[in-house]
Amino acid sequence: MWDANQVPGYQKCAADFEAANPGVRVNIEQYGWDDYWTQLTARMVAESAPDVFVDHSQQFGKFAELDQILDVSDRVAASGIDLSQYQDGLVDLWRGQDGGLYGLPKDWDTVGLYYNADMLADAGYTQDDLWELEWNPADGGTFEEFVAHMSVDSNGVRGDEPGFDKDNVEVYGLGYNESGGGYGQVQWASFALSNGWTYSDRNPWPTEFRYDEPALVETIGWWRSLVDKGYMPPLAVATSGVGSQEALGAGAYASLIEGSWNARSISELGGADFQVAPTPVGPSGERGTVFNGLSDAIYAGTPHPDEAWAWVEYLASPDCQLRVAEEARVFPAVKEASDRAVAAFQEIGVDADAFSVHVTDGTTTPSPVTDRWAELQTIMQPTMDSVLSFQSDPESLAPANRRVNELLAE
């Protein structure tokens, strides 16, 4: 695993599993995100990878194509697992190009608009107001009005008041951590998706991406304009080494689009009351968010395939996922457990409806799955960095998109 926050919940699942399976021992190893993939790749090369590991939708295509993880389709069928018990769309994230199933859903995530509730009250907004925000690429709508009013310069002047000094901003109305490359999950994707844009022609396994479409180009142009107006920090400031959550906690950002997986940690930042609202409604008339999730994959070289499958089957079961739900860290994939997690989050003061509203309203877009993601990002990351730092125009997405599609055609 890479998420330290989830270890306690899975330790409890492991204890229950071991009690029901005498002679089988589960050892949970946790690494930070970057070290995790480095360790995993190195251990696969050395043929000593863990029997089971947490997989990400942007990584699994590569592992499946290289035959590094097991197809569990036959085992799922033999066990009679009801795939309809999982939130709609999650199972398909783990289907290979060969039609095989390379994991079972363990959780799901959407994004929300986190904000400093103390600053919100000082600015004259209510929490209910944020549920009503809308945006458009022409004038930004009430969402841009919000981030303008929440922006404050070093003289205490707000972004929507005369004399606002955009070059000396004390509090940015909206923060971010980087340009988002070709994914933009916690940067620009919610805006683009609610503007009618989609990543690709199909998912999973797209044959072409759509970074050149007007709906995205105009979205990025508007999003970048928030930097020019002083409502969002310049890219160099956002990537200076201070994390976006830390900046939110320190009062440098009034709001931040972030994932549901960080709901617990953001609520515990301290120093202020931090809450969350859903992403704003876009020109499509709906909200938008990337819908992603994780799975537990079985290493193809495991010397214990039957025991590994038994563990994976248990991790994907209502029994384990209901236990994980009680931890109020993530939203498990099993529908029943998702509901329990929403209640658990509400009990600790987190408005989990801000995340689940996308699921109930059907405003989610599955995370794109391709085995060329790493190569795609070598094109899209510098392209989006260049656009957001005003070194190139949003129209440069078109030639970048051609290069991406040429890559897929190879």
Side-chain angles (χ1 to χ4, degrees):
M1 305 180 67
W2 61 77
D3 189 349
N5 292 323
Q6 293 191 56
V7 171
Y10 282 94
Q11 290 285 15
K12 293 177 181 178
C13 284
D16 291 345
F17 176 78
E18 289 175 340
N21 295 271
V24 181
R25 179 172 177 271
V26 177
N27 178 47
I28 297 178
E29 299 176 79
Q30 183 266 326
Y31 300 92
W33 172 263
D34 292 332
D35 287 343
Y36 182 87
W37 299 109
T38 301
Q39 286 274 353
L40 188 59
T41 301
R43 291 171 67 175
M44 282 183 175
V45 171
E47 299 183 351
S48 62
D51 303 292
V52 177
F53 63 92
V54 178
D55 204 359
H56 192 282
S57 60
Q58 291 186 351
Q59 301 285 339
F60 121 84
K62 172 183 65 180
F63 294 136
E65 289 300 295
L66 294 174
D67 296 322
Q68 293 284 11
I69 53 179
L70 292 183
D71 178 354
V72 297
S73 300
D74 291 344
R75 293 179 183 271
V76 168
S79 295
I81 296 174
D82 179 11
L83 297 180
S84 68
Q85 70 182 314
Y86 304 110
Q87 294 288 354
D88 297 345
L90 292 180
V91 172
D92 288 340
L93 289 175
W94 309 104
R95 292 202 183 278
Q97 296 191 73
D98 58 1
L101 186 61
Y102 290 87
L104 288 172
K106 71 188 292 124
D107 58 24
W108 58 264
D109 60 64
T110 59
V111 305
L113 179 67
Y114 293 87
Y115 58 90
N116 184 317
D118 296 339
M119 290 183 179
L120 191 79
D122 290 342
Y125 278 96
T126 68
Q127 296 184 19
D128 290 341
D129 290 336
L130 269 62
W131 277 75
E132 303 299 323
L133 294 178
E134 54 81 24
W135 86 278
N136 66 76
D139 62 17
T142 57
F143 178 77
E144 182 169 330
E145 291 175 7
F146 163 72
V147 295
H149 192 63
M150 298 303 295
S151 300
V152 183
D153 71 14
S154 56
N155 294 314
V157 179
R158 294 188 177 275
D160 57 354
E161 295 175 340
F164 174 69
D165 186 355
K166 68 177 185 179
D167 297 318
N168 291 285
V169 179
E170 194 77 22
V171 179
Y172 289 101
L174 180 66
Y176 64 105
N177 58 350
E178 50 120 332
S179 73
Y183 195 32
Q185 182 180 22
V186 294
Q187 294 88 15
W188 45 262
S190 292
F191 303 111
L193 296 172
S194 63
N195 195 27
W197 179 75
T198 55
Y199 283 96
S200 55
D201 60 341
R202 68 183 190 190
N203 192 40
W205 313 110
T207 62
E208 62 178 33
F209 278 80
R210 294 172 170 171
Y211 296 116
D212 60 345
E213 288 195 347
L216 178 62
V217 174
E218 67 178 3
T219 296
I220 297 301
W222 165 79
W223 187 60
R224 184 178 73 163
S225 77
L226 300 182
V227 175
D228 189 46
K229 295 170 183 175
Y231 307 156
M232 284 200 324
L235 182 62
V237 173
T239 58
S240 62
V242 177
S244 54
Q245 291 183 56
E246 289 79 5
L248 180 69
Y253 297 162
S255 69
L256 177 71
I257 291 178
E258 251 296 350
S260 57
W261 58 91
N262 282 323
R264 181 69 174 265
S265 60
I266 291 178
S267 72
E268 297 172 344
L269 281 174
D273 179 20
F274 296 97
Q275 299 291 337
V276 64
T279 56
V281 174
S284 68
E286 298 181 335
R287 309 182 195 278
T289 182
V290 173
F291 190 50
N292 196 20
L294 307 176
S295 80
D296 295 295
I298 300 176
Y299 171 50
T302 175
H304 308 291
D306 293 336
E307 293 86 349
W309 164 247
W311 172 230
V312 166
E313 183 179 12
Y314 182 67
L315 287 172
S317 71
D319 286 347
C320 176
Q321 295 201 11
L322 281 166
R323 182 173 284 277
V324 170
E326 294 169 356
E327 298 290 313
R329 296 287 181 182
V330 295
F331 296 92
V334 172
K335 295 173 183 176
E336 177 187 4
S338 291
D339 293 340
R340 178 66 189 95
V342 169
F345 273 109
Q346 304 285 23
E347 289 168 7
I348 63 171
V350 175
D351 187 2
D353 288 338
F355 305 113
S356 62
V357 66
H358 291 286
V359 177
T360 56
D361 288 356
T363 56
T364 60
T365 296
S367 183
V369 175
T370 173
D371 59 342
R372 310 302 293 274
W373 191 258
E375 296 159 280
L376 180 154
Q377 282 289 61
T378 64
I379 298 171
M380 294 307 303
Q381 189 68 53
T383 297
M384 201 64 76
D385 286 353
S386 179
V387 170
L388 197 56
S389 58
F390 294 86
Q391 296 175 3
S392 58
D393 294 326
E395 286 73 20
S396 65
L397 292 172
N401 190 68
R402 286 195 293 271
R403 292 165 57 200
V404 167
N405 290 337
E406 288 168 358
L407 176 69
L408 295 182
E410 291 177 359

